[in-house]
Amino acid sequence: MSSQDKSEVPEEHLPEVPASAHVPAESDPFADPGLPAHEPRRTDIDEKAANRAERQVAFLFVISMLATIGFIWSYVGIDKDRIIDIFFFGKIGAQNAALGGTLGIALFCIGAGAIHWARTLMTDEEIVQERHEFTSDPETREYAIREFTQGASDSVIGRRPLIRRTMIGAMALVPLSGVVLLRDLGPMPGTKLRHTEWKPGKELINEATGLPIKPDDIVKGSLTMALPEGLVEKYGPAGQKEELSHGWLEKAGMSAILLVRLEPKDVKSKKELAWGHEGIVAYSKICTHVGCPIGLYEQQTHHLLCPCHQSTFDLADDGKVVFGPAARSLPQLKIHVNEAGNLAASQDFAEPVGASFWERG
Amino acid sequence: MSSEQPKGGADKSTPIPDNAAVRAADALDSRLGIYGAAKKNLRKVFPDHWSFMLGEVALYSFIVLLLTGVFLTLFFKPSMQEVVYDGSYVPLQGIHMSQAYASTLDISFDIRGGLAMRQIHHWAALIFVSSLFVHMFRIFFTGAFRKPREINWLFGFLLLVLAMVNGFTGYSLPDDLLSGTGLRIAEGVVLAIPLVGTYVQFFLFGGEFPGEDIVPRLFTIHVLLIPAIMVGLVTVHLILVFYQKHTQFPGPGKTEKNVVGLPLLPVYAAKAGGFFFIVFGITAALGGLVQINPIWSYGPYNPGQITAGSQPDWYIGFLEGSLRLMPNWEWNIWGHTFSFNVLIPSLILPGVLFTFMAMYPWIEGWITGDKREHHLLDRPRNMPVRTGLGVAWITCYGVLWVCGGNDIIATHFHMSINAITWIGRVAFFVAPVLAYLATVRICKGLQRRDRDKVLHGRETGVIKKLPHGEFIEIHEPLEPGMRHTLTAHEQPKPYELDAAEDENGVARKVKRSDKLRSRMSHWYFAEPIEKPTAEEYKELTSGHGHH
Ligand code: FES
């Protein structure tokens, strides 16, 4: 135990460090008998065995060399598009399998060779070395502390409080610049999380077909994904793909909705029916838990399940949470049918969609 | 092999060769003084035990990560700029996607060996984090974290956390559907942070999710910032292992004051170096042959789409599980949203679990009041409470991890998600307690067995019939080395408070913290399985001779 131990704990409850001395066994049957004598291995005494071990090591190294040559050959000689079916591993690219396999063998055999060499031919006689306590001896300790104290007093920092305080102040302030510089990483949130792309009159576009949706398109039991116009890739009049405008991913991430057709008599909420069209209702697709898109619909129960953490929403009851970690109902989008006979939004969502945030309220 | 090799130093009669290598070494020495360092370290002794290889696996897979990672950066384009894919993977030709995803497809299909490298990188990452965990458990259960190695425990802990963070940033880079889903969840978690969450999210993503900035930013963090810190930490970690010398298990000839093992040059160097190649070789073969993270089958990221049954890499799974188990508590106070359903499972709970892990050496040190250096390892059974706590921690983590796949369990075992979630909620609290109790019992049972072995010897399986007809099994006494190994551990007494009154009957002030410490110390050390004493042993062995 070190002499500078300032522990407040009485040390009686700690046992003595076990005696390492070789106490004769008669007085202590549990005494340390010391390191057992070294037992020679086969290769230590039998030259033939040692030679065999040498050949085994060399063999492994030769295999490694061959594997590296195989690697190079695989790189230039195998067509990269060839697929092979290897038992157990399934269908994989022939070249990658060959490259990985040969590299693996080349490396593994070097390792196996080295370890076999170490185990058979290098010494296996254990060596004992002393440890030294890390705590410095009292003289060194005093010397170091004295040197430091001298250095500190030479700097006059103790006697010049003005310097000390202003230095601390300057050091404390200067990292602020670094923090300020981070400001332009992104724009202020503003009210962006409160709005989506839905505007009164915006048509619902089917995500799969890129076409506006007519009420008859929505059949019972199916889930239709939709986005506002401009966020779905569709084909122009000449058949060419129309480019999506910049930033469509962010907008789609907020505005994605899903449509289902319910039996009006099953719907528990008057408001829900009023916001839909003849039993067709539109809900945000973005889970109110942490924002995964929701994808699994159970027609019998009208339940919608989020695949991320299994929050379950009842679409026949205002999108209320019936199970899982989400705390809020799925927001409903008010829709109607326009003159062209297509479904369109009557307004933006009445509340923010997706995950909660501090200012949401 | 000369058997008269002196311990530690080479034979004095070994001739000093005069060749180019020695002359080069002389030249270096006259500039850097390398012989001094070599004298200290060339024959440094490293103890041997299979469990000491776990840290090596971590180190080697880290090196594999660095090597394959450099290769990948040469081809990966961390950009969210939209391109139309025209590479050789037919199903995605003509599809709009980000440069990041397109270049990952190129690495996988058009750059020879690219897929192998990607997969080696991914496999190495999984092995890296796994081996870090297991290495850490080894350190924990054997008490290797005790003084003087607490700081190195902390460095190792930081490495584990950084490894997990970098794993997450790494699999977010390809911008495929799966990685985007992970990022979306991360976005929701960031948004749930009180007060600043919304701002942090907008600054992190450069605006609304997903934005165009997150992939290039994560790229810099993934290939530069975190690896640089990790390389630094690994270096310091290894220097400390070297400087403080490795711990060893108790055994004949092994004491707190020595280190017994094989010398760095050549044996340890050959074994450790060889082992590096073995780890690399296995990872390379895995990368070539076993598919992992086939991003092409997920498709490019689209915030409106998701694949069912999507799973993060295994080490993030526990967060997924805690998010799934959490009841849906959300409060609205004065117009502000407290999303406990997100905050607790994704920030507070992991914070508590991992802080406990990081601080454990100091917690235990405070309870035991032990300020001595320890170089001999504990056998886990001899520290039942510590071992129990470790197993409880693992159980806690394990329950969360399993619940991260509750949908998979549900479909496999035809159970309702509802039931599994409830089982998970109960198990999260009950299972660690049961695991703790069971572990303590098992440890004590094993201690009892050790005690019996020391006193009565080991069972030989030979049955003997005594003259009066009784059958007994012949026990063979243990050899002295084994007897020593099984009794070398300490059995500290619980820390007792001073009497509430001193000799004169004056009430003493007992500090609250002392009371707590005493109570904790009793919990740690009370009711030990007493080690056999020399008297007991002699009485049993001398009397009628051993059967
Ligand atoms: S994101 Fe839907 S349940 Fe978590």
Side-chain angles (χ1 to χ4, degrees):
Chain A
M1 247 155 274
S2 85
S3 54
Q4 286 114 44
D5 208 337
K6 299 194 179 57
S7 144
E8 314 149 43
V9 187
E11 283 172 2
E12 307 86 78
H13 72 290
L14 296 175
E16 285 300 305
V17 179
S20 57
H22 298 198
V23 186
E26 304 84 66
S27 61
D28 181 0
F30 308 135
D32 182 359
L35 209 57
H38 174 240
E39 282 185 33
R41 292 160 299 184
R42 190 81 200 275
T43 44
D44 291 335
I45 42 179
D46 179 357
E47 193 56 26
K48 263 208 204 111
N51 288 340
R52 200 179 316 122
E54 181 187 8
R55 282 195 301 276
Q56 286 161 344
V57 172
F59 175 74
L60 286 165
F61 289 158
V62 170
I63 299 267
S64 170
M65 290 190 254
L66 292 177
T68 300
I69 293 168
F71 181 89
I72 298 167
W73 180 80
S74 311
Y75 193 87
V76 292
I78 300 181
D79 178 18
K80 74 177 166 55
D81 294 327
R82 216 175 106 201
I83 305 287
I84 46 165
D85 196 341
I86 306 183
F87 172 70
F88 184 73
F89 294 110
K91 279 199 168 62
I92 46 176
Q95 194 180 38
N96 275 295
L99 289 173
T102 48
L103 181 64
I105 293 170
L107 293 163
F108 187 92
C109 287
I110 294 181
I115 288 177
H116 192 54
W117 175 14
R119 295 176 68 122
T120 51
L121 295 171
M122 293 181 189
T123 175
D124 74 333
E125 197 175 352
E126 287 192 310
I127 293 179
V128 181
Q129 280 175 356
E130 294 297 298
R131 289 182 195 272
H132 306 284
E133 219 184 326
F134 296 105
T135 312
S136 308
D137 59 65
E139 292 95 83
T140 313
R141 171 179 178 269
E142 273 160 37
Y143 181 84
I145 296 175
R146 215 169 274 128
E147 288 292 295
F148 180 83
T149 318
Q150 180 68 41
S153 96
D154 284 355
S155 76
V156 301
I157 194 165
R159 283 188 293 125
R160 304 277 177 198
L162 191 58
I163 291 183
R164 195 173 64 229
R165 283 174 205 151
T166 48
M167 181 184 75
I168 293 172
M171 300 290 269
L173 281 188
V174 79
L176 266 184
S177 316
V179 177
V180 169
L181 273 179
L182 294 179
R183 164 61 193 92
D184 276 350
L185 275 174
M188 283 295 179
T191 56
K192 289 195 197 81
L193 290 179
R194 297 186 173 275
H195 304 296
T196 70
E197 284 302 290
W198 294 107
K199 305 257 152 38
K202 254 207 181 174
E203 289 191 341
L204 280 58
I205 308 293
N206 190 321
E207 222 190 289
T209 62
L211 298 171
I213 302 171
K214 302 220 180 298
D216 289 345
D217 299 342
I218 311 290
V219 291
K220 236 196 254 149
S222 74
L223 200 56
T224 308
M225 312 300 176
L227 282 166
E229 199 170 349
L231 299 183
V232 187
E233 278 187 342
K234 59 177 183 180
Y235 293 90
Q240 83 285 14
K241 236 183 198 172
E242 277 185 359
E243 291 300 312
L244 289 174
S245 63
H246 193 75
W248 72 276
L249 266 185
E250 290 77 70
K251 293 173 187 155
M254 297 279 280
S255 312
I257 58 167
L258 39 86
L259 290 158
V260 289
R261 182 188 281 276
L262 302 168
E263 203 63 65
K265 65 173 174 14
D266 293 343
V267 179
K268 298 195 186 92
S269 147
K270 277 228 176 65
K271 185 203 123 192
E272 180 175 352
L273 271 185
W275 279 32
H277 173 80
E278 295 169 354
I280 299 175
V281 288
Y283 277 96
S284 164
K285 198 186 173 188
I286 310 301
C287 184
T288 59
H289 182 220
V290 285
C292 283
I294 302 177
L296 307 168
Y297 179 55
E298 238 263 316
Q299 189 198 347
Q300 246 83 55
T301 54
H302 327 108
H303 284 177
L304 196 59
L305 178 85
C306 176
C308 278
H309 316 101
Q310 287 110 29
S311 291
T312 311
F313 304 87
D314 187 353
L315 286 197
D317 190 11
D318 278 335
K320 283 212 178 78
V321 181
V322 288
F323 178 74
R328 285 176 292 99
S329 307
L330 271 187
Q332 191 186 357
L333 183 70
K334 190 174 178 193
I335 52 169
H336 64 270
V337 173
N338 63 13
E339 306 85 68
N342 297 332
L343 291 177
S346 311
Q347 59 187 49
D348 193 357
F349 285 101
E351 52 177 316
V353 301
S356 297
F357 50 97
W358 176 249
E359 298 86 352
R360 188 181 186 281
Chain B
M1 290 298 98
S2 67
S3 54
E4 62 283 326
Q5 190 134 349
K7 313 213 152 161
D11 206 318
K12 273 271 165 17
S13 60
T14 306
I16 304 289
D18 179 31
N19 55 27
V22 170
R23 279 191 296 276
D26 285 340
L28 265 184
D29 182 62
S30 57
R31 288 162 180 86
L32 302 169
I34 58 166
Y35 287 139
K39 185 179 160 195
K40 265 205 219 125
N41 296 322
L42 274 184
R43 301 283 285 179
K44 198 176 181 75
V45 157
F46 281 88
D48 210 6
H49 188 266
W50 66 266
S51 69
F52 299 167
M53 290 196 319
L54 297 166
E56 285 184 53
V57 178
L59 175 66
Y60 301 149
S61 44
F62 182 60
I63 297 173
V64 174
L65 281 168
L66 292 178
L67 292 174
T68 50
V70 169
F71 176 88
L72 293 173
T73 57
L74 301 179
F75 299 99
F76 180 66
K77 299 189 183 73
S79 156
M80 291 290 260
Q81 213 203 322
E82 202 167 287
V83 295
V84 177
Y85 179 67
D86 61 353
S88 58
Y89 185 62
V90 180
L92 289 176
Q93 278 166 1
I95 303 274
H96 287 250
M97 57 180 65
S98 65
Q99 275 256 303
Y101 186 63
S103 64
T104 314
L105 289 174
D106 288 344
I107 291 173
S108 307
F109 293 107
D110 289 303
I111 288 155
R112 284 178 283 178
L115 178 63
M117 282 296 169
R118 241 197 76 222
Q119 294 191 147
I120 297 174
H121 195 69
H122 205 127
W123 274 116
L126 296 189
I127 296 173
F128 181 47
V129 185
S130 317
S131 55
L132 281 175
F133 265 107
V134 185
H135 173 53
M136 206 134 179
F137 293 151
R138 199 282 289 170
I139 302 287
F140 180 89
F141 288 119
T142 58
F145 56 80
R146 289 172 299 169
K147 190 180 170 183
R149 295 184 178 77
E150 304 98 321
I151 309 168
N152 229 14
W153 166 268
L154 206 54
F155 288 155
F157 168 81
L158 287 175
L159 280 166
L160 173 71
V161 173
L162 288 175
M164 288 166 70
V165 172
N166 224 28
F168 181 78
T169 58
Y171 77 66
S172 298
L173 290 180
D175 196 34
D176 59 297
L177 193 52
L178 193 58
S179 77
T181 303
L183 271 181
R184 179 102 218 202
I185 296 175
E187 184 230 1
V189 169
V190 170
L191 278 178
I193 301 171
L195 209 61
V196 294
T198 316
Y199 292 87
V200 174
Q201 192 256 293
F202 268 71
F203 293 169
L204 192 64
F205 287 81
E208 282 168 278
F209 179 87
E212 309 216 319
D213 294 331
I214 189 68
V215 164
R217 284 177 187 173
L218 287 181
F219 180 72
T220 308
I221 293 173
H222 181 78
V223 307
L224 179 72
L225 181 63
I226 296 185
I229 301 174
M230 289 180 80
V231 168
L233 280 173
V234 168
T235 311
V236 182
H237 193 76
L238 293 178
I239 289 177
L240 278 180
V241 170
F242 219 78
Y243 175 68
Q244 296 184 322
K245 299 200 173 88
H246 208 285
T247 50
Q248 57 193 357
F249 276 101
K254 297 176 180 173
T255 72
E256 290 283 8
K257 302 246 182 282
N258 70 10
V259 50
V260 180
L262 295 164
L264 174 64
L265 190 77
V267 188
Y268 189 74
K271 279 189 178 171
F275 194 48
F276 164 69
F277 284 100
I278 287 193
V279 170
F280 199 169
I282 290 174
T283 333
L286 270 177
L289 296 168
V290 188
Q291 189 180 78
I292 186 164
N293 200 22
I295 48 114
W296 54 88
S297 69
Y298 307 142
Y301 182 58
N302 177 333
Q305 290 172 2
I306 191 158
T307 50
S310 52
Q311 287 291 322
D313 272 352
W314 77 265
Y315 45 87
I316 302 291
F318 80 106
L319 282 177
E320 187 83 352
S322 65
L323 275 167
R324 289 178 185 201
L325 286 190
M326 185 67 197
N328 60 351
W329 300 343
E330 181 174 286
W331 293 1
N332 242 307
I333 307 170
W334 300 307
H336 291 300
T337 307
F338 289 83
S339 307
F340 293 113
N341 54 344
V342 181
L343 275 177
I344 293 180
S346 61
L347 296 171
I348 299 175
L349 178 75
V352 170
L353 268 180
F354 281 82
T355 309
F356 174 75
M357 192 182 197
M359 298 320 295
Y360 187 79
W362 288 274
I363 299 175
E364 188 184 294
W366 178 75
I367 294 175
T368 59
D370 191 348
K371 302 257 158 91
R372 299 163 304 160
E373 282 183 18
H374 290 279
H375 303 290
L376 279 181
L377 295 169
D378 287 324
R379 299 170 72 224
R381 69 187 59 176
N382 291 332
M383 287 295 283
V385 173
R386 179 205 289 151
T387 307
L389 284 175
V391 174
W393 194 98
I394 295 174
T395 311
C396 201
Y397 184 94
V399 167
L400 295 179
W401 184 79
V402 168
C403 290
N406 61 357
D407 46 345
I408 296 171
I409 301 174
T411 46
H412 266 269
F413 297 98
H414 306 288
M415 286 168 76
S416 86
I417 281 278
N418 208 321
I420 297 176
T421 303
W422 270 106
I423 294 173
R425 284 175 183 168
V426 174
F428 175 75
F429 292 101
V430 176
V433 177
L434 293 180
Y436 170 82
L437 293 173
T439 308
V440 170
R441 277 195 90 130
I442 293 172
C443 285
K444 295 208 165 170
L446 289 172
Q447 282 191 52
R448 242 176 249 124
R449 231 183 47 198
D450 283 352
R451 194 186 138 87
D452 284 351
K453 244 203 215 161
V454 169
L455 287 177
H456 304 291
R458 91 165 57 79
E459 294 163 8
T460 55
V462 181
I463 310 287
K464 195 167 120 184
K465 192 176 180 190
L466 293 184
H468 54 272
E470 188 193 345
F471 286 96
I472 56 154
E473 186 179 3
I474 296 181
H475 285 227
E476 185 191 328
L478 295 186
E479 54 277 17
M482 197 62 189
R483 274 206 308 267
H484 170 72
T485 308
L486 295 185
T487 53
H489 58 286
E490 307 181 331
Q491 292 200 308
K493 302 255 172 318
Y495 162 50
E496 297 295 347
L497 288 175
D498 295 332
E501 291 176 354
D502 63 17
E503 316 77 78
N504 307 324
V506 182
R508 244 194 267 259
K509 268 255 283 289
V510 184
K511 273 198 288 178
R512 272 261 193 87
S513 61
D514 277 347
K515 271 194 203 156
L516 180 64
R517 176 188 278 170
S518 160
R519 216 172 306 138
M520 301 280 274
S521 170
H522 272 89
W523 167 53
Y524 254 72
F525 296 126
E527 297 170 42
I529 309 297
E530 295 289 350
K531 290 198 293 192
T533 61
E535 290 69 44
E536 274 178 285
Y537 181 80
K538 279 181 205 147
E539 197 172 320
L540 269 166
T541 47
S542 61
H544 44 281
H546 9 205
H547 1 256

